[in-house]
Short mmCIF file of all heavy atoms in Angstrom, two decimals:
data_model
loop_
_atom_site.label_atom_id
_atom_site.label_comp_id
_atom_site.label_asym_id
_atom_site.label_seq_id
_atom_site.Cartn_x
_atom_site.Cartn_y
_atom_site.Cartn_z
N ALA A 1 0.84 -1.18 0.00
CA ALA A 1 0.00 0.00 0.00
C ALA A 1 0.88 1.24 0.00
O ALA A 1 1.99 1.24 0.53
CB ALA A 1 -0.92 0.00 1.21
N VAL A 2 0.36 2.28 -0.60
CA VAL A 2 1.06 3.56 -0.64
C VAL A 2 0.81 4.29 0.67
O VAL A 2 -0.29 4.26 1.22
CB VAL A 2 0.55 4.40 -1.83
CG1 VAL A 2 1.16 5.78 -1.82
CG2 VAL A 2 0.84 3.68 -3.14
N LEU A 3 1.84 4.94 1.19
CA LEU A 3 1.67 5.73 2.41
C LEU A 3 1.01 7.06 2.08
O LEU A 3 1.47 7.79 1.21
CB LEU A 3 3.02 5.98 3.08
CG LEU A 3 3.75 4.75 3.63
CD1 LEU A 3 5.08 5.17 4.25
CD2 LEU A 3 2.89 4.02 4.64
N VAL A 4 -0.08 7.36 2.76
CA VAL A 4 -0.79 8.62 2.63
C VAL A 4 -0.86 9.21 4.03
O VAL A 4 -1.39 8.57 4.94
CB VAL A 4 -2.20 8.42 2.04
CG1 VAL A 4 -2.95 9.73 2.00
CG2 VAL A 4 -2.12 7.78 0.66
N ASP A 5 -0.31 10.39 4.17
CA ASP A 5 -0.23 11.02 5.49
C ASP A 5 0.47 10.10 6.50
O ASP A 5 0.09 10.02 7.66
CB ASP A 5 -1.62 11.41 6.02
CG ASP A 5 -2.28 12.48 5.17
OD1 ASP A 5 -1.56 13.35 4.64
OD2 ASP A 5 -3.52 12.44 5.03
N GLY A 6 1.48 9.37 6.02
CA GLY A 6 2.27 8.50 6.88
C GLY A 6 1.64 7.17 7.23
O GLY A 6 2.20 6.40 7.98
N ARG A 7 0.46 6.87 6.64
CA ARG A 7 -0.21 5.61 6.94
C ARG A 7 -0.53 4.87 5.65
O ARG A 7 -0.84 5.50 4.64
CB ARG A 7 -1.50 5.89 7.70
CG ARG A 7 -1.23 6.55 9.05
CD ARG A 7 -2.46 6.99 9.77
NE ARG A 7 -3.46 5.92 9.83
CZ ARG A 7 -4.69 6.11 10.27
NH1 ARG A 7 -5.08 7.30 10.67
NH2 ARG A 7 -5.54 5.11 10.32
N PRO A 8 -0.48 3.53 5.66
CA PRO A 8 -0.83 2.76 4.46
C PRO A 8 -2.28 3.01 4.06
O PRO A 8 -3.18 2.99 4.89
CB PRO A 8 -0.63 1.31 4.88
CG PRO A 8 0.24 1.36 6.08
CD PRO A 8 -0.05 2.67 6.76
N SER A 9 -2.49 3.28 2.80
CA SER A 9 -3.84 3.51 2.28
C SER A 9 -4.39 2.22 1.70
O SER A 9 -3.80 1.64 0.78
CB SER A 9 -3.80 4.59 1.21
OG SER A 9 -5.04 4.67 0.55
N ALA A 10 -5.51 1.77 2.19
CA ALA A 10 -6.14 0.55 1.68
C ALA A 10 -6.67 0.73 0.26
O ALA A 10 -6.90 -0.24 -0.45
CB ALA A 10 -7.27 0.12 2.61
N SER A 11 -6.88 1.97 -0.16
CA SER A 11 -7.45 2.20 -1.48
C SER A 11 -6.40 2.57 -2.53
O SER A 11 -6.75 2.81 -3.68
CB SER A 11 -8.50 3.31 -1.41
OG SER A 11 -7.89 4.52 -0.99
N LEU A 12 -5.13 2.59 -2.15
CA LEU A 12 -4.08 2.94 -3.11
C LEU A 12 -2.91 2.00 -2.91
O LEU A 12 -2.18 2.09 -1.92
CB LEU A 12 -3.64 4.39 -2.90
CG LEU A 12 -2.65 4.97 -3.90
CD1 LEU A 12 -3.19 4.87 -5.33
CD2 LEU A 12 -2.33 6.41 -3.56
N SER A 13 -2.76 1.07 -3.83
CA SER A 13 -1.70 0.07 -3.69
C SER A 13 -1.21 -0.36 -5.06
O SER A 13 -1.77 0.01 -6.08
CB SER A 13 -2.20 -1.13 -2.90
OG SER A 13 -3.25 -1.77 -3.59
N ALA A 14 -0.16 -1.13 -5.05
CA ALA A 14 0.40 -1.66 -6.29
C ALA A 14 0.75 -3.12 -6.07
O ALA A 14 1.02 -3.55 -4.96
CB ALA A 14 1.65 -0.88 -6.69
N MET A 15 0.75 -3.88 -7.16
CA MET A 15 1.10 -5.29 -7.08
C MET A 15 2.26 -5.54 -8.04
O MET A 15 2.25 -5.05 -9.17
CB MET A 15 -0.09 -6.16 -7.49
CG MET A 15 0.22 -7.62 -7.41
SD MET A 15 -1.09 -8.77 -7.94
CE MET A 15 -2.55 -7.84 -8.04
N VAL A 16 3.23 -6.29 -7.60
CA VAL A 16 4.35 -6.66 -8.45
C VAL A 16 4.17 -8.13 -8.82
O VAL A 16 4.02 -8.98 -7.94
CB VAL A 16 5.70 -6.47 -7.71
CG1 VAL A 16 6.85 -6.95 -8.57
CG2 VAL A 16 5.88 -5.02 -7.33
N ARG A 17 4.16 -8.40 -10.09
CA ARG A 17 4.07 -9.78 -10.56
C ARG A 17 5.43 -10.21 -11.08
O ARG A 17 6.03 -9.53 -11.88
CB ARG A 17 3.03 -9.91 -11.66
CG ARG A 17 1.63 -9.70 -11.16
CD ARG A 17 0.64 -10.01 -12.27
NE ARG A 17 -0.70 -9.77 -11.80
CZ ARG A 17 -1.61 -10.73 -11.69
NH1 ARG A 17 -1.30 -11.95 -12.03
NH2 ARG A 17 -2.80 -10.45 -11.27
N GLU A 18 5.88 -11.34 -10.59
CA GLU A 18 7.16 -11.87 -11.04
C GLU A 18 6.93 -12.87 -12.17
O GLU A 18 5.89 -13.52 -12.23
CB GLU A 18 7.88 -12.54 -9.88
CG GLU A 18 8.25 -11.56 -8.78
CD GLU A 18 8.99 -12.22 -7.64
OE1 GLU A 18 9.39 -13.39 -7.77
OE2 GLU A 18 9.16 -11.55 -6.61
N SER A 19 7.91 -13.02 -13.02
CA SER A 19 7.82 -13.97 -14.12
C SER A 19 7.71 -15.39 -13.58
O SER A 19 8.36 -15.75 -12.61
CB SER A 19 9.06 -13.86 -15.01
OG SER A 19 9.06 -14.90 -15.97
N THR A 20 6.90 -16.19 -14.23
CA THR A 20 6.76 -17.58 -13.83
C THR A 20 7.86 -18.46 -14.40
O THR A 20 7.98 -19.61 -14.03
CB THR A 20 5.42 -18.15 -14.31
OG1 THR A 20 5.34 -18.01 -15.74
CG2 THR A 20 4.25 -17.42 -13.67
N GLU A 21 8.69 -17.90 -15.28
CA GLU A 21 9.69 -18.72 -15.97
C GLU A 21 10.65 -19.42 -15.02
O GLU A 21 11.09 -20.53 -15.29
CB GLU A 21 10.46 -17.87 -16.97
CG GLU A 21 9.62 -17.45 -18.16
CD GLU A 21 10.40 -16.64 -19.18
OE1 GLU A 21 11.64 -16.62 -19.10
OE2 GLU A 21 9.75 -16.06 -20.05
N SER A 22 10.96 -18.82 -13.89
CA SER A 22 11.89 -19.45 -12.96
C SER A 22 11.26 -20.65 -12.24
O SER A 22 11.97 -21.42 -11.62
CB SER A 22 12.37 -18.43 -11.92
OG SER A 22 11.27 -17.98 -11.14
N CYS A 23 9.96 -20.81 -12.33
CA CYS A 23 9.27 -21.92 -11.66
C CYS A 23 8.94 -23.08 -12.59
O CYS A 23 8.38 -24.07 -12.16
CB CYS A 23 7.96 -21.41 -11.06
SG CYS A 23 8.16 -20.06 -9.89
N LEU A 24 9.28 -22.95 -13.86
CA LEU A 24 8.89 -23.95 -14.84
C LEU A 24 9.99 -24.98 -15.06
O LEU A 24 11.17 -24.67 -15.02
CB LEU A 24 8.56 -23.28 -16.18
CG LEU A 24 7.42 -22.27 -16.15
CD1 LEU A 24 7.28 -21.61 -17.52
CD2 LEU A 24 6.12 -22.94 -15.74
N GLU A 25 9.56 -26.20 -15.33
CA GLU A 25 10.48 -27.27 -15.71
C GLU A 25 10.76 -27.16 -17.21
O GLU A 25 10.04 -26.48 -17.94
CB GLU A 25 9.86 -28.64 -15.39
CG GLU A 25 9.56 -28.87 -13.93
CD GLU A 25 10.81 -29.00 -13.08
OE1 GLU A 25 11.85 -29.46 -13.60
OE2 GLU A 25 10.76 -28.65 -11.89
N SER A 26 11.78 -27.83 -17.66
CA SER A 26 12.12 -27.83 -19.08
C SER A 26 10.93 -28.31 -19.90
O SER A 26 10.32 -29.33 -19.59
CB SER A 26 13.32 -28.75 -19.31
OG SER A 26 13.63 -28.82 -20.67
N GLY A 27 10.58 -27.57 -20.92
CA GLY A 27 9.48 -27.93 -21.80
C GLY A 27 8.13 -27.43 -21.35
O GLY A 27 7.16 -27.55 -22.08
N GLU A 28 8.03 -26.89 -20.14
CA GLU A 28 6.75 -26.37 -19.67
C GLU A 28 6.58 -24.92 -20.09
O GLU A 28 7.56 -24.20 -20.25
CB GLU A 28 6.66 -26.43 -18.14
CG GLU A 28 6.55 -27.81 -17.57
CD GLU A 28 6.41 -27.79 -16.06
OE1 GLU A 28 6.94 -26.88 -15.40
OE2 GLU A 28 5.77 -28.71 -15.53
N ILE A 29 5.34 -24.51 -20.28
CA ILE A 29 5.03 -23.11 -20.54
C ILE A 29 3.89 -22.72 -19.60
O ILE A 29 3.08 -23.55 -19.22
CB ILE A 29 4.63 -22.85 -22.00
CG1 ILE A 29 3.41 -23.68 -22.41
CG2 ILE A 29 5.79 -23.09 -22.94
CD1 ILE A 29 2.85 -23.32 -23.76
N ALA A 30 3.87 -21.47 -19.21
CA ALA A 30 2.80 -20.96 -18.36
C ALA A 30 1.91 -20.04 -19.18
O ALA A 30 2.42 -19.17 -19.89
CB ALA A 30 3.39 -20.21 -17.17
N VAL A 31 0.62 -20.25 -19.09
CA VAL A 31 -0.34 -19.41 -19.80
C VAL A 31 -1.52 -19.15 -18.89
O VAL A 31 -1.79 -19.93 -17.97
CB VAL A 31 -0.85 -20.09 -21.10
CG1 VAL A 31 0.27 -20.29 -22.10
CG2 VAL A 31 -1.55 -21.40 -20.82
N PRO A 32 -2.22 -18.03 -19.09
CA PRO A 32 -3.46 -17.83 -18.33
C PRO A 32 -4.43 -18.97 -18.64
O PRO A 32 -4.42 -19.52 -19.74
CB PRO A 32 -4.01 -16.50 -18.86
CG PRO A 32 -2.84 -15.83 -19.49
CD PRO A 32 -1.94 -16.93 -19.98
N LEU A 33 -5.24 -19.32 -17.68
CA LEU A 33 -6.16 -20.44 -17.85
C LEU A 33 -6.98 -20.33 -19.12
O LEU A 33 -7.18 -21.31 -19.83
CB LEU A 33 -7.08 -20.53 -16.64
CG LEU A 33 -8.13 -21.63 -16.67
CD1 LEU A 33 -7.45 -22.99 -16.76
CD2 LEU A 33 -9.01 -21.53 -15.45
N THR A 34 -7.42 -19.14 -19.46
CA THR A 34 -8.27 -18.97 -20.65
C THR A 34 -7.51 -19.19 -21.94
O THR A 34 -8.11 -19.34 -22.99
CB THR A 34 -8.90 -17.58 -20.67
OG1 THR A 34 -7.87 -16.60 -20.62
CG2 THR A 34 -9.84 -17.39 -19.51
N ALA A 35 -6.18 -19.23 -21.89
CA ALA A 35 -5.40 -19.42 -23.10
C ALA A 35 -4.88 -20.84 -23.26
O ALA A 35 -4.09 -21.12 -24.14
CB ALA A 35 -4.21 -18.45 -23.10
N VAL A 36 -5.34 -21.76 -22.43
CA VAL A 36 -4.85 -23.14 -22.51
C VAL A 36 -5.06 -23.71 -23.90
O VAL A 36 -4.22 -24.44 -24.41
CB VAL A 36 -5.51 -24.02 -21.42
CG1 VAL A 36 -5.23 -25.49 -21.66
CG2 VAL A 36 -5.01 -23.60 -20.05
N HIS A 37 -6.16 -23.37 -24.54
CA HIS A 37 -6.42 -23.90 -25.87
C HIS A 37 -5.33 -23.51 -26.87
O HIS A 37 -5.08 -24.22 -27.83
CB HIS A 37 -7.80 -23.44 -26.38
CG HIS A 37 -7.84 -22.00 -26.75
ND1 HIS A 37 -7.97 -21.00 -25.81
CD2 HIS A 37 -7.73 -21.39 -27.95
CE1 HIS A 37 -7.95 -19.84 -26.42
NE2 HIS A 37 -7.81 -20.03 -27.71
N ALA A 38 -4.64 -22.40 -26.65
CA ALA A 38 -3.59 -21.95 -27.57
C ALA A 38 -2.35 -22.82 -27.46
O ALA A 38 -1.47 -22.74 -28.32
CB ALA A 38 -3.23 -20.49 -27.27
N THR A 39 -2.24 -23.65 -26.44
CA THR A 39 -1.07 -24.51 -26.28
C THR A 39 -1.16 -25.76 -27.13
O THR A 39 -0.24 -26.54 -27.17
CB THR A 39 -0.90 -24.93 -24.81
OG1 THR A 39 -1.99 -25.80 -24.45
CG2 THR A 39 -0.84 -23.74 -23.88
N GLY A 40 -2.30 -25.96 -27.76
CA GLY A 40 -2.50 -27.18 -28.53
C GLY A 40 -3.06 -28.31 -27.69
O GLY A 40 -3.16 -29.44 -28.14
N ALA A 41 -3.43 -28.02 -26.45
CA ALA A 41 -4.01 -29.03 -25.58
C ALA A 41 -5.34 -29.51 -26.16
O ALA A 41 -6.05 -28.77 -26.82
CB ALA A 41 -4.24 -28.47 -24.18
N ALA A 42 -5.62 -30.76 -25.92
CA ALA A 42 -6.88 -31.33 -26.41
C ALA A 42 -8.05 -30.62 -25.74
O ALA A 42 -7.97 -30.25 -24.58
CB ALA A 42 -6.93 -32.81 -26.12
N PRO A 43 -9.14 -30.43 -26.49
CA PRO A 43 -10.31 -29.83 -25.87
C PRO A 43 -10.85 -30.73 -24.77
O PRO A 43 -10.62 -31.94 -24.78
CB PRO A 43 -11.32 -29.70 -27.02
CG PRO A 43 -10.79 -30.50 -28.13
CD PRO A 43 -9.35 -30.76 -27.88
N VAL A 44 -11.55 -30.13 -23.84
CA VAL A 44 -12.13 -30.91 -22.74
C VAL A 44 -13.23 -31.80 -23.31
O VAL A 44 -14.15 -31.33 -23.95
CB VAL A 44 -12.71 -29.97 -21.66
CG1 VAL A 44 -13.40 -30.80 -20.58
CG2 VAL A 44 -11.62 -29.11 -21.08
N THR A 45 -13.06 -33.07 -23.08
CA THR A 45 -14.08 -34.04 -23.51
C THR A 45 -14.32 -35.02 -22.38
O THR A 45 -13.55 -35.08 -21.43
CB THR A 45 -13.61 -34.81 -24.77
OG1 THR A 45 -12.40 -35.50 -24.45
CG2 THR A 45 -13.39 -33.89 -25.94
N GLY A 46 -15.36 -35.78 -22.50
CA GLY A 46 -15.62 -36.80 -21.49
C GLY A 46 -16.40 -36.26 -20.32
O GLY A 46 -17.20 -35.34 -20.44
N ASP A 47 -16.12 -36.82 -19.16
CA ASP A 47 -16.86 -36.53 -17.94
C ASP A 47 -16.46 -35.18 -17.36
O ASP A 47 -15.34 -35.01 -16.89
CB ASP A 47 -16.58 -37.64 -16.93
CG ASP A 47 -17.32 -37.47 -15.63
OD1 ASP A 47 -18.20 -36.59 -15.54
OD2 ASP A 47 -17.01 -38.22 -14.68
N PRO A 48 -17.36 -34.19 -17.35
CA PRO A 48 -17.01 -32.87 -16.82
C PRO A 48 -16.71 -32.89 -15.32
O PRO A 48 -15.89 -32.11 -14.83
CB PRO A 48 -18.22 -32.00 -17.14
CG PRO A 48 -19.34 -32.96 -17.34
CD PRO A 48 -18.73 -34.22 -17.85
N VAL A 49 -17.34 -33.80 -14.59
CA VAL A 49 -17.08 -33.89 -13.15
C VAL A 49 -15.65 -34.38 -12.92
O VAL A 49 -14.94 -33.86 -12.06
CB VAL A 49 -18.11 -34.81 -12.47
CG1 VAL A 49 -17.74 -35.04 -11.00
CG2 VAL A 49 -19.52 -34.23 -12.59
N ARG A 50 -15.22 -35.35 -13.72
CA ARG A 50 -13.85 -35.85 -13.62
C ARG A 50 -12.86 -34.73 -13.98
O ARG A 50 -11.83 -34.57 -13.35
CB ARG A 50 -13.65 -37.07 -14.52
CG ARG A 50 -12.28 -37.65 -14.46
CD ARG A 50 -12.02 -38.25 -13.10
NE ARG A 50 -10.59 -38.43 -12.95
CZ ARG A 50 -10.01 -38.67 -11.81
NH1 ARG A 50 -10.71 -38.77 -10.71
NH2 ARG A 50 -8.72 -38.81 -11.74
N TRP A 51 -13.18 -33.97 -15.04
CA TRP A 51 -12.29 -32.86 -15.44
C TRP A 51 -12.18 -31.86 -14.31
O TRP A 51 -11.08 -31.42 -13.98
CB TRP A 51 -12.84 -32.17 -16.70
CG TRP A 51 -11.96 -31.03 -17.11
CD1 TRP A 51 -10.89 -31.09 -17.96
CD2 TRP A 51 -12.04 -29.67 -16.67
NE1 TRP A 51 -10.31 -29.84 -18.07
CE2 TRP A 51 -10.99 -28.95 -17.28
CE3 TRP A 51 -12.90 -28.98 -15.82
CZ2 TRP A 51 -10.78 -27.60 -17.07
CZ3 TRP A 51 -12.69 -27.63 -15.60
CH2 TRP A 51 -11.64 -26.95 -16.23
N LEU A 52 -13.30 -31.50 -13.70
CA LEU A 52 -13.28 -30.53 -12.61
C LEU A 52 -12.48 -31.07 -11.42
O LEU A 52 -11.71 -30.33 -10.79
CB LEU A 52 -14.70 -30.16 -12.19
CG LEU A 52 -14.82 -29.08 -11.12
CD1 LEU A 52 -14.14 -27.79 -11.57
CD2 LEU A 52 -16.28 -28.84 -10.78
N ALA A 53 -12.63 -32.34 -11.12
CA ALA A 53 -11.86 -32.94 -10.01
C ALA A 53 -10.37 -32.91 -10.33
O ALA A 53 -9.56 -32.58 -9.45
CB ALA A 53 -12.33 -34.38 -9.78
N ASP A 54 -9.99 -33.24 -11.56
CA ASP A 54 -8.58 -33.19 -11.95
C ASP A 54 -8.05 -31.76 -11.87
O ASP A 54 -6.94 -31.51 -11.40
CB ASP A 54 -8.38 -33.73 -13.37
CG ASP A 54 -8.59 -35.22 -13.47
OD1 ASP A 54 -8.61 -35.90 -12.41
OD2 ASP A 54 -8.74 -35.72 -14.60
N PHE A 55 -8.85 -30.81 -12.35
CA PHE A 55 -8.45 -29.41 -12.32
C PHE A 55 -8.27 -28.92 -10.89
O PHE A 55 -7.29 -28.27 -10.55
CB PHE A 55 -9.48 -28.54 -13.06
CG PHE A 55 -9.14 -27.09 -13.06
CD1 PHE A 55 -8.10 -26.61 -13.85
CD2 PHE A 55 -9.85 -26.19 -12.28
CE1 PHE A 55 -7.78 -25.26 -13.86
CE2 PHE A 55 -9.54 -24.85 -12.28
CZ PHE A 55 -8.49 -24.38 -13.07
N ALA A 56 -9.22 -29.26 -10.02
CA ALA A 56 -9.13 -28.87 -8.61
C ALA A 56 -7.89 -29.48 -7.97
O ALA A 56 -7.20 -28.82 -7.17
CB ALA A 56 -10.38 -29.29 -7.86
N GLY A 57 -7.57 -30.73 -8.31
CA GLY A 57 -6.38 -31.38 -7.77
C GLY A 57 -5.10 -30.70 -8.22
O GLY A 57 -4.09 -30.72 -7.52
N LEU A 58 -5.13 -30.09 -9.37
CA LEU A 58 -3.97 -29.37 -9.90
C LEU A 58 -3.84 -27.98 -9.29
O LEU A 58 -2.75 -27.55 -8.90
CB LEU A 58 -4.09 -29.25 -11.42
CG LEU A 58 -3.01 -28.46 -12.15
CD1 LEU A 58 -1.68 -29.21 -12.08
CD2 LEU A 58 -3.42 -28.24 -13.59
N VAL A 59 -4.95 -27.28 -9.16
CA VAL A 59 -4.93 -25.87 -8.76
C VAL A 59 -4.97 -25.66 -7.24
O VAL A 59 -4.27 -24.78 -6.72
CB VAL A 59 -6.12 -25.13 -9.42
CG1 VAL A 59 -6.26 -23.72 -8.89
CG2 VAL A 59 -5.95 -25.12 -10.93
N LEU A 60 -5.76 -26.44 -6.54
CA LEU A 60 -5.95 -26.17 -5.12
C LEU A 60 -4.73 -26.38 -4.23
O LEU A 60 -4.48 -25.55 -3.35
CB LEU A 60 -7.14 -26.97 -4.59
CG LEU A 60 -8.50 -26.46 -5.06
CD1 LEU A 60 -9.62 -27.36 -4.53
CD2 LEU A 60 -8.74 -25.03 -4.64
N PRO A 61 -3.94 -27.45 -4.39
CA PRO A 61 -2.81 -27.62 -3.48
C PRO A 61 -1.85 -26.41 -3.43
O PRO A 61 -1.56 -25.91 -2.34
CB PRO A 61 -2.12 -28.89 -3.97
CG PRO A 61 -3.24 -29.68 -4.57
CD PRO A 61 -4.11 -28.65 -5.24
N PRO A 62 -1.37 -25.88 -4.57
CA PRO A 62 -0.49 -24.72 -4.45
C PRO A 62 -1.22 -23.47 -3.95
O PRO A 62 -0.66 -22.68 -3.18
CB PRO A 62 0.06 -24.51 -5.86
CG PRO A 62 -0.82 -25.27 -6.77
CD PRO A 62 -1.44 -26.36 -5.95
N ALA A 63 -2.48 -23.29 -4.34
CA ALA A 63 -3.22 -22.12 -3.87
C ALA A 63 -3.44 -22.17 -2.36
O ALA A 63 -3.30 -21.17 -1.66
CB ALA A 63 -4.57 -22.01 -4.60
N LEU A 64 -3.77 -23.35 -1.84
CA LEU A 64 -3.99 -23.48 -0.40
C LEU A 64 -2.68 -23.38 0.38
O LEU A 64 -2.66 -22.88 1.50
CB LEU A 64 -4.72 -24.79 -0.09
CG LEU A 64 -6.16 -24.86 -0.61
CD1 LEU A 64 -6.75 -26.24 -0.36
CD2 LEU A 64 -7.02 -23.78 -0.01
N THR A 65 -1.60 -23.84 -0.22
CA THR A 65 -0.29 -23.68 0.42
C THR A 65 0.04 -22.20 0.56
O THR A 65 0.47 -21.75 1.62
CB THR A 65 0.81 -24.39 -0.40
OG1 THR A 65 0.52 -25.79 -0.43
CG2 THR A 65 2.18 -24.18 0.21
N LEU A 66 -0.17 -21.44 -0.51
CA LEU A 66 0.07 -20.00 -0.43
C LEU A 66 -0.85 -19.35 0.59
O LEU A 66 -0.43 -18.49 1.37
CB LEU A 66 -0.13 -19.35 -1.81
CG LEU A 66 0.93 -19.66 -2.85
CD1 LEU A 66 0.51 -19.14 -4.22
CD2 LEU A 66 2.26 -19.05 -2.43
N LEU A 67 -2.12 -19.76 0.60
CA LEU A 67 -3.07 -19.19 1.56
C LEU A 67 -2.63 -19.47 3.00
O LEU A 67 -2.75 -18.60 3.87
CB LEU A 67 -4.46 -19.76 1.31
CG LEU A 67 -5.59 -19.16 2.14
CD1 LEU A 67 -5.71 -17.66 1.91
CD2 LEU A 67 -6.91 -19.85 1.82
N SER A 68 -2.07 -20.64 3.24
CA SER A 68 -1.61 -20.96 4.61
C SER A 68 -0.45 -20.06 5.03
O SER A 68 -0.17 -19.93 6.22
CB SER A 68 -1.19 -22.43 4.70
OG SER A 68 0.04 -22.66 4.03
N MET A 69 0.23 -19.44 4.04
CA MET A 69 1.32 -18.52 4.34
C MET A 69 0.85 -17.06 4.32
O MET A 69 1.66 -16.15 4.39
CB MET A 69 2.46 -18.71 3.33
CG MET A 69 3.13 -20.06 3.44
SD MET A 69 4.55 -20.22 2.34
CE MET A 69 3.73 -20.64 0.80
N GLY A 70 -0.45 -16.86 4.18
CA GLY A 70 -1.01 -15.52 4.20
C GLY A 70 -1.09 -14.85 2.86
O GLY A 70 -1.35 -13.65 2.78
N VAL A 71 -0.91 -15.60 1.78
CA VAL A 71 -0.99 -15.04 0.43
C VAL A 71 -2.31 -15.49 -0.19
O VAL A 71 -2.54 -16.68 -0.34
CB VAL A 71 0.17 -15.52 -0.46
CG1 VAL A 71 0.04 -14.98 -1.87
CG2 VAL A 71 1.51 -15.15 0.16
N ALA A 72 -3.18 -14.55 -0.51
CA ALA A 72 -4.46 -14.88 -1.11
C ALA A 72 -4.43 -14.51 -2.59
O ALA A 72 -3.98 -13.41 -2.94
CB ALA A 72 -5.59 -14.14 -0.41
N LEU A 73 -4.85 -15.42 -3.43
CA LEU A 73 -4.92 -15.16 -4.86
C LEU A 73 -6.35 -14.86 -5.25
O LEU A 73 -7.29 -15.45 -4.72
CB LEU A 73 -4.43 -16.37 -5.65
CG LEU A 73 -2.98 -16.77 -5.41
CD1 LEU A 73 -2.66 -18.04 -6.22
CD2 LEU A 73 -2.04 -15.66 -5.79
N GLU A 74 -6.51 -13.96 -6.20
CA GLU A 74 -7.83 -13.71 -6.73
C GLU A 74 -8.27 -14.93 -7.52
O GLU A 74 -7.46 -15.57 -8.19
CB GLU A 74 -7.82 -12.49 -7.64
CG GLU A 74 -7.50 -11.20 -6.91
CD GLU A 74 -7.45 -10.03 -7.86
OE1 GLU A 74 -8.19 -10.03 -8.86
OE2 GLU A 74 -6.67 -9.10 -7.59
N ALA A 75 -9.54 -15.25 -7.45
CA ALA A 75 -10.05 -16.47 -8.09
C ALA A 75 -10.37 -16.22 -9.55
O ALA A 75 -11.52 -16.11 -9.95
CB ALA A 75 -11.28 -16.95 -7.34
N HIS A 76 -9.34 -16.11 -10.36
CA HIS A 76 -9.53 -16.04 -11.80
C HIS A 76 -8.35 -16.71 -12.51
O HIS A 76 -7.35 -17.02 -11.90
CB HIS A 76 -9.73 -14.59 -12.28
CG HIS A 76 -8.61 -13.66 -11.93
ND1 HIS A 76 -7.39 -13.68 -12.55
CD2 HIS A 76 -8.53 -12.70 -10.99
CE1 HIS A 76 -6.63 -12.76 -12.03
NE2 HIS A 76 -7.28 -12.15 -11.08
N GLY A 77 -8.51 -16.95 -13.78
CA GLY A 77 -7.55 -17.74 -14.54
C GLY A 77 -6.17 -17.17 -14.69
O GLY A 77 -5.26 -17.90 -15.08
N GLN A 78 -5.95 -15.90 -14.42
CA GLN A 78 -4.60 -15.36 -14.52
C GLN A 78 -3.71 -15.89 -13.42
O GLN A 78 -2.50 -15.88 -13.55
CB GLN A 78 -4.62 -13.84 -14.45
CG GLN A 78 -5.23 -13.20 -15.66
CD GLN A 78 -5.28 -11.70 -15.52
OE1 GLN A 78 -5.33 -11.16 -14.43
NE2 GLN A 78 -5.27 -11.01 -16.65
N ASN A 79 -4.31 -16.33 -12.32
CA ASN A 79 -3.52 -16.84 -11.21
C ASN A 79 -3.41 -18.31 -11.27
O ASN A 79 -2.79 -18.94 -10.52
CB ASN A 79 -4.14 -16.41 -9.88
CG ASN A 79 -4.02 -14.92 -9.69
OD1 ASN A 79 -3.08 -14.30 -10.12
ND2 ASN A 79 -5.01 -14.34 -9.04
#
């Protein structure tokens, strides 16, 4: 938060985003969730409940780990 009159302002802040490249393994690429189709990944087919369970298993563990450290992510595909 930006200091206003010597105090942090809840309505004026900035966020720094770091590159994900340092977190990727060889051959991996990071894309916003909405751009997954651009990677050439197969379209979602089959059981949607199974897809959602697989997706939750992929996304929730790191998000909950960060949350346990006090870092909250906005619930959208960029994160």
Side-chain angles (χ1 to χ4, degrees):
V2 175
L3 295 179
V4 177
D5 295 326
R7 298 173 49 189
S9 170
S11 62
L12 186 57
S13 63
M15 181 183 346
V16 176
R17 291 187 182 244
E18 295 181 11
S19 172
T20 58
E21 290 182 13
S22 64
C23 302
L24 300 175
E25 298 291 331
S26 177
E28 290 182 330
I29 59 172
V31 296
L33 179 61
T34 57
V36 169
H37 73 280
T39 68
V44 176
T45 60
D47 181 10
V49 173
R50 181 67 197 166
W51 179 89
L52 184 58
D54 290 345
F55 179 73
L58 177 68
V59 172
L60 287 177
L64 293 175
T65 298
L66 289 171
L67 186 59
S68 73
M69 294 185 278
V71 178
L73 298 177
E74 295 178 31
H76 58 74
Q78 291 178 333
N79 292 327

